[in-house]
Amino acid sequence: MYFADKTKHNWFVVALILSNILIYVTMLGFNILSSFPINSTTKIFPTDVGGISNDYFIEVTPASWVFSTVWTIIFIWNGLWLIYAFVNIFRRLKDNTLFYRKFDFLNFGVFIAFIVNNLSIIAWLFLWSNKFAGWALFVIVLCVIPLNVALFIFYRKFDECKEELRERRLIVDLVIIRILPQNGLATFATWLTLATNLNFATFLAYEAGAEQDVASTLILFIILTIAVVYFVIENFVWQRYLLYNFSPWFVINFALLGSVIKNYNASNPSRNNIITIILLIITFFLAIGKIVMFILYKTACKKYANRKTFHRHQSVDISKEES
């Protein structure tokens, strides 16, 4: 069959990669337009995204420089793995097999999910700038779900091919994959998860009639729950897939630090001020715990590998003596 021949292009995947790049650039363009102040933007967005956040005060919202810094990192980081995917279209292995056909860690499902995410972000920008907080909440959830689907597919596919990448001494690719798509998508998913919680608090406070401080407290506990559950899953359930995921901890700690710097009132700290600091301390130690678990796991694996090699050599020596 045609698709079984990995020396030939899969034009469906090639089309998805090119479509991803085009839609990603379009999404970047809309994000840039939506970030301009109202006096300098076109009429595409009635209000800039930052202005909406000022109109809808939420006590735990991070400082504006956190948003600009994280979004810049996300856009560059994810743009780089798309460039990597594009370059891989033209790469061939020594047996003339196409690299992206042999190693499909960036499976067609990853690209489809990422396209859905990008289109959902564009839709969210229009809804948020028009102050439809309820519909914006619904759509931002649609932004998060496809990213997690993309990550799930990526983890499984990468796990299937990483040993062969190592055997073929494609170590540079192993490093690039772990840095760019793995941690790039994880950064994006983490930030959108936090943004979804802020959008949820906005909906509760300004459309559902809840008190702003109660809505803020609620999402802090939701974020705490997510962080603890993720730590357990990352280190004890899906460790083989998530071992090299470090960026989510940077994102959550950076966002909480930005919230403390912007909102903390030293003379009369509010309930949410105190909870945010406690949450920041907890997530900081969870991040340290992640690093410790990584070191312990790598040390244990190295000892096991050395022990296995020793026993294999010992068995060879015994068999030689018997012969």
Side-chain angles (χ1 to χ4, degrees):
M1 293 179 63
Y2 176 81
F3 285 116
D5 185 355
K6 294 185 178 180
T7 64
K8 296 181 179 179
H9 283 288
N10 182 334
W11 294 111
F12 175 63
V13 174
V14 172
L16 281 175
I17 294 172
L18 297 178
S19 299
N20 249 213
I21 294 172
L22 178 62
I23 293 171
Y24 188 74
V25 171
T26 303
M27 185 265 291
L28 289 181
F30 279 116
N31 268 278
I32 292 170
L33 283 174
S34 68
S35 65
F36 289 149
I38 190 170
N39 292 330
S40 59
T41 190
T42 64
K43 292 184 179 180
I44 296 177
F45 298 102
T47 311
D48 63 286
V49 173
I52 297 291
S53 297
N54 293 331
D55 292 341
Y56 292 144
F57 172 75
I58 297 296
E59 190 179 357
V60 295
T61 301
S64 59
W65 50 266
V66 173
F67 286 87
S68 59
T69 301
V70 175
W71 275 119
T72 301
I73 291 171
I74 286 172
F75 291 149
I76 294 173
W77 207 333
N78 287 271
L80 288 174
W81 76 254
L82 282 174
I83 293 172
Y84 175 66
F86 177 76
V87 170
N88 285 342
I89 295 174
F90 307 98
R91 294 177 63 192
R92 289 185 180 271
L93 302 171
K94 291 181 180 180
D95 59 1
N96 202 39
T97 302
L98 286 159
F99 182 89
Y100 78 95
R101 295 294 313 279
K102 180 66 176 177
F103 305 111
D104 67 337
F105 49 88
L106 291 176
N107 181 269
F108 71 91
V110 175
F111 293 116
I112 292 173
F114 198 61
I115 286 174
V116 174
N117 162 267
N118 286 188
L119 294 175
S120 298
I121 288 177
I122 293 172
W124 179 84
L125 289 171
F126 282 101
L127 291 168
W128 185 249
S129 66
N130 282 279
K131 298 185 178 182
F132 295 122
W135 283 108
L137 173 61
F138 173 76
V139 172
I140 200 171
V141 171
L142 296 182
C143 297
V144 177
I145 292 174
L147 273 184
N148 284 287
V149 170
L151 280 166
F152 179 80
I153 297 170
F154 167 81
Y155 291 140
R156 298 299 295 270
K157 289 295 183 179
F158 181 47
D159 186 66
E160 291 172 4
C161 65
K162 64 185 179 184
E163 286 303 321
E164 187 170 356
L165 282 164
R166 193 176 288 112
E167 289 170 4
R168 289 175 177 260
R169 300 186 182 279
L170 296 169
I171 306 302
V172 173
D173 283 283
L174 272 172
V175 174
I176 290 174
I177 294 164
R178 284 168 174 157
I179 292 175
L180 295 185
Q182 181 168 344
N183 278 280
L185 286 169
T187 299
F188 207 164
T190 305
W191 180 248
L192 283 182
T193 300
L194 296 176
T196 300
N197 277 278
L198 288 172
N199 205 148
F200 181 47
T202 301
F203 170 75
L204 290 177
Y206 294 94
E207 292 202 5
E211 293 294 329
Q212 180 278 137
D213 62 327
V214 174
S216 296
T217 302
L218 176 61
I219 68 167
L220 287 175
F221 279 101
I222 292 174
I223 292 169
L224 172 62
T225 303
I226 292 172
V228 172
V229 171
Y230 176 74
F231 180 83
V232 173
I233 292 173
E234 181 182 54
N235 292 289
F236 302 104
V237 182
W238 290 342
Q239 191 180 49
R240 65 181 294 177
Y241 303 117
L242 304 175
L243 182 64
Y244 287 86
N245 269 34
F246 293 99
S247 60
W249 297 109
F250 161 77
V251 174
I252 191 170
N253 279 282
F254 188 62
L256 288 170
L257 179 63
S259 177
V260 170
I261 291 173
K262 177 185 177 184
N263 301 301
Y264 186 73
N265 184 350
S267 60
N268 185 26
S270 67
R271 177 184 70 240
N272 287 317
N273 287 164
I274 296 169
I275 294 174
T276 305
I277 290 178
I278 294 172
L279 181 54
L280 176 59
I281 293 170
I282 292 172
T283 56
F284 175 77
F285 280 106
L286 288 177
I288 298 299
K290 160 67 179 179
I291 296 171
V292 171
M293 292 295 293
F294 175 83
I295 294 171
L296 290 174
Y297 182 84
K298 296 300 288 185
T299 303
C301 284
K302 189 174 182 180
K303 287 182 179 179
Y304 174 76
N306 291 339
R307 191 182 303 116
K308 192 174 180 181
T309 303
F310 172 76
H311 287 308
R312 187 169 61 248
H313 289 164
Q314 194 176 47
S315 299
V316 171
D317 292 340
I318 292 172
S319 62
K320 285 182 179 178
E321 289 175 4
E322 289 177 349
S323 62

